[in-house]
């Protein structure tokens, strides 16, 4: 079995204690990951702190060039990283609509290269005989990054690249379920950066808690559950850390009666089931007008019946759910919906084989108060809810403590946009969902968190403003 080590101050660091990492398709141990102690975390933070003055003083062009080299190095090793990702995360190499492990690696390259080109220019807001006033963007210091298991490598790069680009140093912690690809990738790029600029520690939630409470970390960027986000916020108060919290959601979509079902059903299916439904911005509650309800349910069920779920070796459309905790949650929500009298058009029960396999499941005739509608399933199961009044559908869509994304589907773009603007969420789509890109800011409202990632807005989150006032005369 391959030995995995952490990266602290440019060195590979092993630990006496380790924890097993499973392949969710087989439930077999594929490797052991190091288990960091508080001392390892302190060492990583001290290394990042020591590296900060020199790294933040490098020129913007130097950092840009290094980040392009990081992208090149990842590209040279894409095949190996995608295989490892597929093994520990469960996603197929290709997958439905080509959205598997290869897609995640391609996303890494797109985001790294786009972010490398971004700048934080000095803004001059006054320059006259009295004074020149400039607004500068300065790096914050040490950034702690805590990432989840659904897109382990992509989200790590979302966190660390804007941090590095703006001159911060990093301590990142992957999820205990999926540490291997991140460890391998960080070692692959470590020689491109001065020691201490990028550190990775692995362990369980207590390592994340240690990062949140560390008095020498200046900012946390976190992607994961709302419950953990609240704990991080509390712990971060100790030294008033800056926070970016991306906490997932329970995204609603409203399908108006003039929607072209043939055109929309495929997109709705793909954006609900992307990454086996384990996507923060996936479509999770589908409200369909009664005039087209049966047709839309039938169209979705037809697609669901045509796809395959299985291990990567079978080249399926969808893989297993990533871990037992999430698998149990999806099973429980399905059972609850059945008990509540909902109709299962496809799927509904785990596959009878080893691994955390749950087939793609379309549920209709489901009431608003059912847990499957109220709670984020984060798996391959979609409730389709009937509505007759648009205002009622909007009220139900907004009646949620989360607000990451939302969408409206219609052949009348103007009408759809007017309705989408009334959705309480960070991104509103018209005739699409879950589409993100490196230049468009992405983040949530309400309990989906705060702060944005991507593009210039995302870059600024890794900086503080220094206003420079130069008196004249
Ligand atoms: P968590 O939020 O617990 O895990 C995300 C990251 O936070 C992991 O690296 C985890 O470490 C770390 N962590 C755990 N406890 C703490 C803590 N006290 N302080 C700091 N960091 C901590 O998510 P789960 O894996 O438990 O998933 C639960 C739910 O979260 C899912 O059902 C889904 O609804 C949602 N989710 C949302 C995601 C998104 O993209 N927004 C991604 C994943 C899950 P470790 O794994 O080692 O415990």
């Amino acid at each position: 079995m391959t030995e995995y080590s952490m990266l602290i101050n440019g060195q590979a660091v092993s630990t006496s204690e380790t924890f097993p990492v499973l392949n969710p398709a087989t439930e077999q141990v594929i490797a052991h990951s190091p288990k960091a102690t508080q001392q390892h975390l302190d060492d990583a933070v001290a290394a990042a702190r020591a590296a900060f003055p020199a790294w933040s003083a490098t020129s913007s062009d130097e950092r840009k060039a290094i980040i392009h080299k990081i992208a090149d190095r990842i590209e040279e090793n894409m095949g190996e990283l995608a295989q490892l990702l597929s093994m520990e995360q469960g996603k197929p190499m290709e997958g439905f609509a080509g959205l598997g492990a290869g897609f995640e690696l391609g996303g890494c390259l797109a985001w790294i290269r786009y972010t490398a080109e971004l700048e934080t220019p000095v803004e001059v807001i006054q320059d006259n005989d009295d004074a020149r006033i400039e607004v500068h963007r300065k790096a914050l210091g040490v950034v702690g990054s805590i990432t989840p298991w659904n897109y382990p490598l992509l989200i790590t790069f979302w966190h660390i690249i804007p941090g590095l680009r703006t001159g911060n140093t990093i301590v990142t912690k992957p999820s205990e379920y999926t540490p291997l690809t991140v460890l391998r990738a960080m070692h692959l790029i470590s020689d491109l950066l001065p020691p201490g600029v990028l550190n990775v520690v692995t362990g369980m939630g207590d390592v994340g808690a240690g990062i949140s409470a560390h008095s020498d970390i200046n900012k946390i960027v976190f992607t994961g559950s709302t419950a953990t986000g609240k704990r991080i916020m509390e712990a971060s108060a100790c030294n008033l850390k800056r926070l970016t919290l991306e906490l997932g959601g329970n995204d609603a979509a409203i399908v108006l009666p003039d929607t072209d079902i043939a055109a929309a059903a495929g997109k709705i299916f793909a954006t609900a089931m992307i990454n086996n439904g384990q996507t923060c911005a996936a479509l999770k509650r589908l409200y369909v007008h009664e005039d087209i309800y049966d047709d839309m349910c039938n169209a979705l069920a037809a697609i669901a019946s045509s796809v395959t779920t299985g291990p990567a070796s079978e080249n399926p459309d969808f893989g297993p759910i990533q871990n037992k905790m999430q698998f149990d949650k999806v099973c429980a929500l399905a059972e609850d919906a059945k008990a509540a009298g909902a109709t299962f058009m496809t799927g509904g029960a785990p596959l009878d084989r080893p691994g955390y396999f749950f087939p793609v499941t379309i549920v209709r005739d489901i009431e608003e108060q059912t847990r499957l509608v109220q709670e984020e399933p984060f798996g391959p199961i979609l409730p389709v809810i009937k509505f007759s009044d648009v205002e009622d559908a909007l009220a139900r869509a907004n009646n949620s403590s989360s607000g990451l994304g939302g969408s409206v589907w219609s052949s009348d773009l103007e009408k759809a946009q007017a309705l989408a603007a009334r959705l309480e969420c960070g991104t509103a789509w018209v005739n699409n969902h879950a589409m993100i890109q490196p230049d468009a800011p992405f983040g949530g409202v309400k309990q989906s968190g705060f702060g944005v990632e991507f593009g210039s807005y995302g870059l600024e989150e890794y900086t503080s403003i220094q206003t420079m006032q130069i008196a004249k005369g």
Side-chain angles (χ1 to χ4, degrees):
M1 237 177 244
T2 312
E3 290 269 317
Y4 288 85
S5 52
M6 303 190 292
L7 177 67
I8 298 176
N9 204 19
Q11 302 293 315
V13 173
S14 306
T15 57
S16 49
E17 253 195 277
T18 59
F19 61 93
V21 180
L22 305 186
N23 178 340
T26 61
E27 301 173 57
Q28 302 295 309
V29 176
I30 47 175
H32 289 85
S33 180
K35 194 169 178 193
T37 60
Q38 182 64 39
Q39 188 59 53
H40 291 118
L41 176 58
D42 289 343
D43 292 347
V45 176
R49 175 62 53 201
F52 177 67
W55 177 248
S56 57
T58 53
S59 72
S60 176
D61 282 349
E62 261 176 272
R63 294 197 297 272
K64 182 197 293 195
I66 289 176
I67 290 170
H68 277 298
K69 283 186 190 152
I70 290 175
D72 295 344
R73 185 68 59 79
I74 295 299
E75 189 168 30
E76 286 155 23
N77 294 277
M78 256 175 105
E80 178 207 330
L81 290 169
Q83 289 285 353
L84 183 57
L85 176 66
S86 174
M87 190 158 58
E88 71 169 338
Q89 206 285 336
K91 58 183 79 186
M93 290 295 286
E94 176 103 6
F96 184 79
L99 297 171
F103 170 79
E104 180 163 345
L105 264 296
C108 293
L109 298 183
W111 257 271
I112 298 170
R113 288 187 170 133
Y114 181 81
T115 308
E117 290 296 318
L118 293 174
E119 303 280 350
T120 49
V122 174
E123 191 186 343
V124 179
I125 56 170
Q126 180 183 321
D127 193 14
N128 57 19
D129 291 345
D130 296 332
R132 178 177 168 90
I133 304 180
E134 300 171 346
V135 178
H136 292 248
R137 290 271 170 186
K138 297 184 72 174
L140 294 167
V142 178
V143 171
S145 137
I146 304 171
T147 57
W149 42 262
N150 52 345
Y151 295 90
L153 195 59
L154 184 57
I155 295 178
T156 298
F157 282 121
W158 286 353
H159 287 188
I160 71 173
I161 294 298
L164 294 173
R165 180 71 189 90
T166 42
N168 298 277
T169 55
I170 312 282
V171 176
T172 187
K173 184 203 106 56
S175 165
E176 71 194 61
Y177 296 116
T178 53
L180 305 181
T181 316
V182 173
L183 286 172
R184 178 71 184 130
M186 298 303 109
H187 279 285
L188 279 168
I189 62 174
S190 72
D191 69 301
L192 301 172
L193 293 157
V197 168
L198 174 63
N199 306 274
V200 55
V201 289
T202 50
M204 330 307 269
D206 60 314
V207 180
I211 290 175
S212 324
H214 209 290
S215 56
D216 228 6
I217 290 181
N218 304 92
K219 175 193 169 77
I220 304 278
V221 50
F222 170 71
T223 306
S225 66
T226 297
T228 300
K230 287 179 184 176
R231 282 197 282 275
I232 289 173
M233 193 170 173
E234 243 180 278
S236 295
C238 65
N239 65 336
L240 290 183
K241 289 182 187 68
R242 272 55 178 166
L243 292 176
T244 303
L245 300 178
E246 203 278 82
L247 308 178
N250 198 14
D251 284 17
I254 300 173
V255 184
L256 300 179
D258 62 358
T259 300
D260 175 351
I261 293 173
K267 265 190 185 176
I268 286 176
F269 181 85
T271 57
M273 298 304 164
I274 180 169
N275 204 33
N276 220 9
Q278 303 165 117
T279 299
C280 49
L283 191 168
K284 292 174 184 136
R285 293 180 286 154
L286 184 64
Y287 293 94
V288 181
H289 191 269
E290 59 187 0
D291 288 357
I292 55 167
Y293 184 77
D294 289 341
D295 289 345
M296 179 59 81
C297 289
N298 292 337
L300 292 172
I303 304 171
S305 305
S306 71
V307 298
T308 53
T309 296
S313 57
E314 293 174 11
N315 199 20
D317 292 305
F318 298 99
I321 292 175
Q322 202 285 319
N323 56 68
K324 174 110 171 50
M325 177 260 315
Q326 200 62 44
F327 175 74
D328 288 345
K329 182 169 182 187
V330 171
C331 293
L333 291 181
E335 285 310 312
D336 181 78
K338 268 183 218 163
T343 305
F344 282 65
M345 301 188 78
T346 62
L351 298 188
D352 185 16
R353 62 185 297 170
Y356 308 131
F357 291 105
F358 197 94
V360 172
T361 298
I362 305 292
V363 184
R364 60 169 289 170
D365 309 322
I366 183 163
E367 296 298 327
E368 183 67 28
Q369 288 316 313
T370 315
R371 280 182 64 200
L372 180 59
V373 179
Q374 295 295 315
E375 297 177 30
E376 179 188 35
F378 218 68
I381 180 165
L382 179 68
V384 190
I385 310 123
K386 191 190 285 185
F387 75 86
S388 51
D389 173 55
V390 176
E391 289 301 319
D392 174 51
L394 179 70
R396 289 201 255 165
N398 285 338
N399 185 24
S400 168
S401 60
S402 55
L404 189 60
S407 61
V408 176
W409 301 71
S410 166
S411 51
D412 181 339
L413 295 185
E414 222 172 291
K415 185 173 67 181
Q417 185 178 345
L419 189 62
R422 296 170 64 201
L423 287 168
E424 295 168 2
C425 55
T427 301
W429 289 276
V430 170
N431 291 337
N432 214 338
H433 206 112
M435 273 298 297
I436 54 167
Q437 55 191 59
D439 53 351
F442 173 70
V445 300
K446 301 202 271 189
Q447 292 191 33
S448 288
F450 50 80
V452 293
E453 297 186 88
F454 315 156
S456 324
Y457 293 98
L459 200 68
E460 287 178 357
E461 301 244 344
Y462 291 80
T463 65
S464 58
I465 283 177
Q466 184 179 55
T467 304
M468 182 73 72
Q469 296 236 17
I470 304 151
K472 293 186 185 171

